[in-house]
Amino acid sequence: MLRSLNRPGVMAITLAAAGILMVTMGTRQSFGLLIAPINATSGLGIATISLALAIGQFTWGAIQPVAGALADRFGPRAVLVGGIVMLAAGCAITPFATSGFGLAVSLGLLAAVGSGAGSFSVLIGAAAQRLPLEVRGTASGVINAGGSFGQFVFAPILQKAIQALGWMGAMWVLAVMTLTALPLVRRVAGPLPAAPARAVEQADKGLRAALREAFGDRSYLLLHAGFFTCGFHIAFLVTHLPGEVSLCGLPPEVASWSLAIIGLANILGSLYAGACVSRYRSKYVLAIMYGSRAVLVAAYLMAPRTALTFYVFAAGLGFTWLATVPPTAAIVGKLFGVRYLATLFGMTLLSHQIGGFLGAWLGGLVIVRFGDFGWMWYADMALATAAALVNLPIREARVTKALAPA
């Protein structure tokens, strides 16, 4: 599956991008573990803390097209370096936040902007411009797997750090760990290859024309609708899964290990999704992924609430968790080319995070109003089913043998 990447420069760029995403996503996706300890020491309330994290979900998405446009215009190096430093700064100042507004600034704005600038749109866009056409699908799967591996690594580390140092000390540990991604930027943001090594693209009509074309395309809008649901689903779970575990009377380690299992399973799912992009039409890959989530949530609701249930549920969900990224990016690239892929894929990520904002925020409101997350699970199933259906009419050419990996 990875043999197509075994050529000079290709593997190095791919692994460097995966390493950066491992750090930025591993840090961001672990923030849900902070809700209970922050609430216990500050008394701010779960709804207030959830709102700060929900703002972070939206901000992370909102910065994606901006960071993508800056990377498309000026190159990815400064964008990635700035993002990593901002993420570290957001983690470092969070212990000094004593109000909901302070948390919204540190986690909801600073850390989210930094994580978003060092995330999918810039990294996948930079890699696509520096890699041959035939390896982009597999490479995007490996890069995406890096983010999942980060969740697998960072969630247990953060939980242990919280237990050993308190949540404030744990945030400073995260800040230091974030800065370890800086040496990898040089490899991802290296010079563009010579013209013969790059895919033949359409004539460059400018960013504004590219945006007008994209938002006038029905398939692009349908892709946004499906990705909105993906964001709702992921943000709800990554933010409130620890609360669901607590409601079931299970120890917090079950939540951290569930998040870690999600990340581990998504490594396999991302690699498989990247391979599928080269073999099958991406819209069908997405439809199957979204449909499987509705089935898994229904199965979870009917199962006994034990640690084993959470681990099996996490493994099943984890296989498709962020594995939706490679086929989504692939469709954008097929429709509009890679010249402005960072920007156009960044816009889909904005839709993803509008859903993420609602998933994180509404989860907090529902638990305060009803005492459990029942209505959120039902909404999640309905949205996942809808997402599976809206991907089917997307205009996408059949995959040819020429695009399959060697």
Side-chain angles (χ1 to χ4, degrees), residues 73 117 136 139 153 156 182 207 214 222 248 266 269 305 385:
R73 176 67 178 84
R136 288 176 190 162
V153 171
L182 285 173
L207 178 57
L222 290 173
C248 297
N266 197 227
R305 302 298 198 271
T385 302

Side-chain angles (χ1 to χ4, degrees), residues 73-129:
R73 176 67 178 84
F74 301 107
R77 185 188 301 272
V79 177
L80 291 171
V81 170
I84 292 168
V85 172
M86 288 182 69
L87 175 57
C91 292
I93 70 171
T94 295
F96 301 104
T98 58
S99 65
F101 176 78
L103 285 178
V105 171
S106 63
L107 293 179
L109 294 177
L110 192 57
V113 168
S115 178
S119 194
F120 295 108
S121 62
V122 175
L123 291 170
I124 290 181
Q129 291 179 345

Side-chain angles (χ1 to χ4, degrees), residues 229 232 374-384:
T229 293
F232 180 95
W375 285 107
M376 291 298 292
W377 291 118
Y378 302 143
D380 201 18
M381 283 191 293
L383 287 172

Side-chain angles (χ1 to χ4, degrees), residues 34 37-38 41-42 91-92 94-98 161-162 165-174:
L34 298 168
I38 291 178
T41 59
S42 68
C91 292
T94 295
F96 301 104
T98 58
I162 290 171
L165 305 172
W167 75 266
M168 295 182 180
M171 290 305 293
W172 291 324
V173 169
L174 277 185

